[in-house]
PDB file of all heavy atoms in Angstrom:
ATOM      1  N   ASN A  43      15.990  14.790  -5.095  1.00 84.00           N
ATOM      2  CA  ASN A  43      15.116  15.550  -5.956  1.00 84.00           C
ATOM      3  C   ASN A  43      15.491  17.075  -5.840  1.00 84.00           C
ATOM      4  O   ASN A  43      16.110  17.484  -4.818  1.00 84.00           O
ATOM      5  CB  ASN A  43      13.651  15.364  -5.592  1.00 84.00           C
ATOM      6  CG  ASN A  43      13.311  15.825  -4.189  1.00 84.00           C
ATOM      7  OD1 ASN A  43      13.365  17.050  -3.932  1.00 84.00           O
ATOM      8  ND2 ASN A  43      12.901  14.942  -3.317  1.00 84.00           N
ATOM      9  N   ALA A  44      15.087  17.801  -6.797  1.00 85.00           N
ATOM     10  CA  ALA A  44      15.349  19.235  -6.876  1.00 85.00           C
ATOM     11  C   ALA A  44      14.085  19.990  -6.745  1.00 85.00           C
ATOM     12  O   ALA A  44      13.835  20.971  -7.504  1.00 85.00           O
ATOM     13  CB  ALA A  44      16.169  19.596  -8.127  1.00 85.00           C
ATOM     14  N   ALA A  45      13.188  19.612  -5.862  1.00 86.00           N
ATOM     15  CA  ALA A  45      11.915  20.192  -5.782  1.00 86.00           C
ATOM     16  C   ALA A  45      12.029  21.566  -5.045  1.00 86.00           C
ATOM     17  O   ALA A  45      12.904  21.761  -4.171  1.00 86.00           O
ATOM     18  CB  ALA A  45      10.992  19.290  -4.899  1.00 86.00           C
ATOM     19  N   SER A  46      11.161  22.466  -5.461  1.00 89.00           N
ATOM     20  CA  SER A  46      11.142  23.765  -4.823  1.00 89.00           C
ATOM     21  C   SER A  46      10.471  23.668  -3.476  1.00 89.00           C
ATOM     22  O   SER A  46       9.841  22.691  -3.161  1.00 89.00           O
ATOM     23  CB  SER A  46      10.394  24.718  -5.679  1.00 89.00           C
ATOM     24  OG  SER A  46       9.033  24.474  -5.722  1.00 89.00           O
ATOM     25  N   ASN A  47      10.682  24.726  -2.626  1.00 89.00           N
ATOM     26  CA  ASN A  47      10.051  24.770  -1.355  1.00 89.00           C
ATOM     27  C   ASN A  47       8.529  24.713  -1.419  1.00 89.00           C
ATOM     28  O   ASN A  47       7.884  24.049  -0.550  1.00 89.00           O
ATOM     29  CB  ASN A  47      10.508  25.918  -0.568  1.00 89.00           C
ATOM     30  CG  ASN A  47      11.947  25.881  -0.082  1.00 89.00           C
ATOM     31  OD1 ASN A  47      12.464  24.785   0.036  1.00 89.00           O
ATOM     32  ND2 ASN A  47      12.555  27.036   0.207  1.00 89.00           N
ATOM     33  N   GLU A  48       8.037  25.357  -2.402  1.00 93.00           N
ATOM     34  CA  GLU A  48       6.555  25.335  -2.645  1.00 93.00           C
ATOM     35  C   GLU A  48       6.025  23.918  -2.996  1.00 93.00           C
ATOM     36  O   GLU A  48       5.040  23.511  -2.430  1.00 93.00           O
ATOM     37  CB  GLU A  48       6.197  26.330  -3.784  1.00 93.00           C
ATOM     38  CG  GLU A  48       4.710  26.466  -3.999  1.00 93.00           C
ATOM     39  CD  GLU A  48       4.439  27.405  -5.049  1.00 93.00           C
ATOM     40  OE1 GLU A  48       4.597  28.648  -4.845  1.00 93.00           O
ATOM     41  OE2 GLU A  48       3.982  27.009  -6.152  1.00 93.00           O
ATOM     42  N   GLU A  49       6.774  23.270  -3.802  1.00 91.00           N
ATOM     43  CA  GLU A  49       6.412  21.924  -4.219  1.00 91.00           C
ATOM     44  C   GLU A  49       6.471  20.974  -2.951  1.00 91.00           C
ATOM     45  O   GLU A  49       5.582  20.125  -2.750  1.00 91.00           O
ATOM     46  CB  GLU A  49       7.240  21.332  -5.317  1.00 91.00           C
ATOM     47  CG  GLU A  49       7.013  22.042  -6.638  1.00 91.00           C
ATOM     48  CD  GLU A  49       8.050  21.609  -7.682  1.00 91.00           C
ATOM     49  OE1 GLU A  49       9.226  21.333  -7.332  1.00 91.00           O
ATOM     50  OE2 GLU A  49       7.607  21.504  -8.857  1.00 91.00           O
ATOM     51  N   ARG A  50       7.542  21.106  -2.223  1.00 92.00           N
ATOM     52  CA  ARG A  50       7.680  20.270  -1.009  1.00 92.00           C
ATOM     53  C   ARG A  50       6.508  20.524  -0.033  1.00 92.00           C
ATOM     54  O   ARG A  50       5.974  19.579   0.594  1.00 92.00           O
ATOM     55  CB  ARG A  50       9.027  20.558  -0.345  1.00 92.00           C
ATOM     56  CG  ARG A  50      10.180  19.919  -1.058  1.00 92.00           C
ATOM     57  CD  ARG A  50      11.460  20.082  -0.205  1.00 92.00           C
ATOM     58  NE  ARG A  50      12.591  19.579  -0.999  1.00 92.00           N
ATOM     59  CZ  ARG A  50      13.693  20.249  -1.265  1.00 92.00           C
ATOM     60  NH1 ARG A  50      13.890  21.436  -0.771  1.00 92.00           N
ATOM     61  NH2 ARG A  50      14.625  19.663  -1.938  1.00 92.00           N
ATOM     62  N   ALA A  51       6.228  21.781   0.157  1.00 92.00           N
ATOM     63  CA  ALA A  51       5.160  22.200   1.112  1.00 92.00           C
ATOM     64  C   ALA A  51       3.811  21.595   0.655  1.00 92.00           C
ATOM     65  O   ALA A  51       3.031  21.003   1.434  1.00 92.00           O
ATOM     66  CB  ALA A  51       5.064  23.681   1.242  1.00 92.00           C
ATOM     67  N   THR A  52       3.502  21.646  -0.656  1.00 93.00           N
ATOM     68  CA  THR A  52       2.291  21.135  -1.218  1.00 93.00           C
ATOM     69  C   THR A  52       2.243  19.623  -1.088  1.00 93.00           C
ATOM     70  O   THR A  52       1.191  19.089  -0.575  1.00 93.00           O
ATOM     71  CB  THR A  52       2.128  21.502  -2.721  1.00 93.00           C
ATOM     72  OG1 THR A  52       2.238  22.987  -2.801  1.00 93.00           O
ATOM     73  CG2 THR A  52       0.843  21.034  -3.269  1.00 93.00           C
ATOM     74  N   ALA A  53       3.325  18.954  -1.363  1.00 92.00           N
ATOM     75  CA  ALA A  53       3.343  17.479  -1.156  1.00 92.00           C
ATOM     76  C   ALA A  53       3.212  17.125   0.274  1.00 92.00           C
ATOM     77  O   ALA A  53       2.511  16.126   0.606  1.00 92.00           O
ATOM     78  CB  ALA A  53       4.646  16.965  -1.767  1.00 92.00           C
ATOM     79  N   LEU A  54       3.852  17.839   1.192  1.00 92.00           N
ATOM     80  CA  LEU A  54       3.835  17.511   2.585  1.00 92.00           C
ATOM     81  C   LEU A  54       2.364  17.698   3.164  1.00 92.00           C
ATOM     82  O   LEU A  54       1.850  16.861   3.856  1.00 92.00           O
ATOM     83  CB  LEU A  54       4.780  18.369   3.402  1.00 92.00           C
ATOM     84  CG  LEU A  54       4.935  18.018   4.890  1.00 92.00           C
ATOM     85  CD1 LEU A  54       5.395  16.606   5.060  1.00 92.00           C
ATOM     86  CD2 LEU A  54       5.832  19.010   5.534  1.00 92.00           C
ATOM     87  N   ILE A  55       1.734  18.733   2.696  1.00 91.00           N
ATOM     88  CA  ILE A  55       0.314  18.969   3.088  1.00 91.00           C
ATOM     89  C   ILE A  55      -0.572  17.831   2.604  1.00 91.00           C
ATOM     90  O   ILE A  55      -1.380  17.312   3.319  1.00 91.00           O
ATOM     91  CB  ILE A  55      -0.172  20.381   2.558  1.00 91.00           C
ATOM     92  CG1 ILE A  55       0.519  21.519   3.308  1.00 91.00           C
ATOM     93  CG2 ILE A  55      -1.712  20.463   2.665  1.00 91.00           C
ATOM     94  CD1 ILE A  55       0.267  22.868   2.661  1.00 91.00           C
TER      95      ILE A  55
END
Side-chain angles (χ1 to χ4, degrees):
N43 66 64
S46 69
N47 287 339
E48 183 178 290
E49 290 173 327
R50 284 187 184 128
T52 304
L54 187 61
I55 290 168

